[in-house]
Structure formats: C-alpha cells, structure tokens
C-alpha cells in the first residue's frame, strides 16, 4: 500500500503489461471464441476499469501479434478469436463508428466554413482526405456484407415461476 497526497492509502500500481498478460491468460484458459464479461475479467485480474482499458491497449498493440489471434470487444464481452467472420463483424462495427466521426468532423467543423475552406490549405486537405476515407469506407462496407454471419449462441429461454403456494 502507498499513501496519496491526502494521506489515504491505495494499492501499489500494477504494470499494464502484467495485467494484460493476466487477462490474456484468462481468455486462453476459457478458450477461443468464449465471451467473458468485462466484470469477470476485471474481477479475476484485480484491475480497475482504467487499468483494464490500458491492458486492452497493450493486448491489442503487442500480445495479439505475438499470439496470432485477435482480441475483440464483442457483444457485451471480450474474447480471443481467429474466426474471420467475427473479426469482420467487429472491424465493420469499429469502422462504422470511425466513419460516423469523420462525417461529423466534416459537417460540424469543416464544411460550415463553405468557400472559406479553400483559403486554408490544411482544411482543404482535411476535407479532401476525409471525403476519400468515407468513400473507402463505403467500399469496405460492401465487402463486409459478403462475409458469412458469425454463429450466435442460443439464448437460454426464461422459465416462468409457478405462483407461490401452488
């Protein structure tokens, strides 16, 4: 335990690499394509939300390349996989979010200047390049539609409880 400036105690910092390796091992032990909820992962590796965010970055930047598997945030949990359909679905979702942000950047910050954009080389370049990226996204989206849909696990059916006293 260490003390903060106010004198309160807090846990000693844990290296991000260590937490990332623990999280990866947890996923390996669970098996490929097994979805683990965030709370389960953070609880098992004893990480705060902020620590887990940094660990996810380390996993994606380093461990995935070393292990040859993707680490996905997928349908309200996390998994490791080499399934191209799941990776494609994940990439398409992320790219859709990026595309939305790019379009908002144009519509909310650059395009309102109208003809003045041409007076600023950097804004004109941003406008052209973002337009190119959104056209590229449109082509990628069409290619994604050709990918098979991942098999979804069947959800357990809810059973109604019998009324009390019967």
């Amino acid at each position: 335990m260490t003390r903060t400036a106010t004198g309160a105690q807090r846990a000693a910092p844990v290296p991000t690499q260590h937490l990332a390796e623990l999280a990866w091992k947890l996923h390996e032990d669970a098996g490929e394509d097994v979805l683990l909820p965030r709370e389960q992962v953070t609880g098992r590796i004893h990480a705060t939300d902020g620590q887990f965010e940094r660990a996810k970055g380390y996993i994606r930047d380093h461990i995935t390349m070393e292990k040859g598997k993707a680490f996905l945030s997928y349908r309200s949990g996390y998994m490791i996989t080499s399934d191209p359909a799941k990776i494609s679905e994940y990439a398409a979702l992320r790219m859709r979010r990026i595309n939305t942000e790019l379009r908002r950047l144009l519509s909310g910050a650059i395009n309102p200047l109208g003809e003045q954009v041409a007076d600023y080389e950097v804004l004109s370049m941003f406008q052209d390049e973002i337009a190119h990226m959104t056209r590229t996204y449109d082509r990628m989206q069409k290619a994604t539609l050709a990918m098979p849909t991942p098999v979804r696990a069947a959800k357990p059916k809810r059973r109604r409880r019998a009324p009390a006293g019967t």
Side-chain angles (χ1 to χ4, degrees):
M1 292 280 192
T2 60
R3 295 221 179 253
T4 65
T6 61
Q9 284 190 332
R10 69 174 190 176
V14 179
T16 298
Q17 180 179 354
H18 176 70
L19 291 174
E21 289 167 355
L22 288 174
W24 186 268
K25 175 85 170 96
L26 179 65
H27 281 86
E28 278 185 330
D29 291 347
E32 189 168 328
D33 296 326
V34 174
L35 195 61
L36 298 177
R38 178 186 190 92
E39 297 77 26
Q40 182 179 352
V41 177
T42 57
R44 296 280 302 277
I45 68 171
H46 306 291
T48 65
D49 285 340
Q51 288 172 321
F52 183 56
E53 289 300 315
R54 288 188 298 279
K56 288 189 313 185
Y58 187 90
I59 290 169
R60 290 181 176 128
D61 292 345
H62 303 284
I63 297 176
T64 55
M65 289 299 293
E66 176 187 320
K67 301 290 186 174
K69 292 182 182 175
F71 178 78
L72 308 181
S73 168
Y74 190 81
R75 298 185 183 143
S76 74
Y78 296 89
M79 70 166 56
I80 57 174
T81 188
S82 54
D83 180 341
K86 287 184 178 116
I87 295 167
S88 175
E89 182 180 356
Y90 170 78
L93 176 63
R94 295 293 300 262
M95 290 302 297
R96 188 169 35 250
R97 290 178 186 157
I98 292 168
N99 186 57
T100 298
E101 286 300 313
L102 289 172
R103 289 180 188 274
R104 285 181 181 154
L105 181 58
L106 278 177
S107 68
I110 298 171
N111 289 348
L113 296 180
E115 299 294 324
Q116 293 176 4
V117 170
D119 297 337
Y120 301 96
E121 183 179 349
V122 69
L123 291 180
S124 183
M125 181 183 66
F126 282 150
Q127 191 177 49
D128 291 344
E129 292 303 318
I130 292 170
H132 173 72
M133 288 183 248
T134 58
R135 286 190 305 274
T136 301
Y137 168 77
D138 292 340
R139 287 194 320 271
M140 289 188 312
Q141 184 181 27
K142 289 176 185 166
T144 301
L145 295 174
M147 288 294 295
T149 303
V151 176
R152 296 183 179 194
K155 292 184 178 180
K157 295 188 182 215
R158 289 185 169 182
R159 294 179 183 227
R160 289 188 168 182
R161 287 191 201 185
T166 57

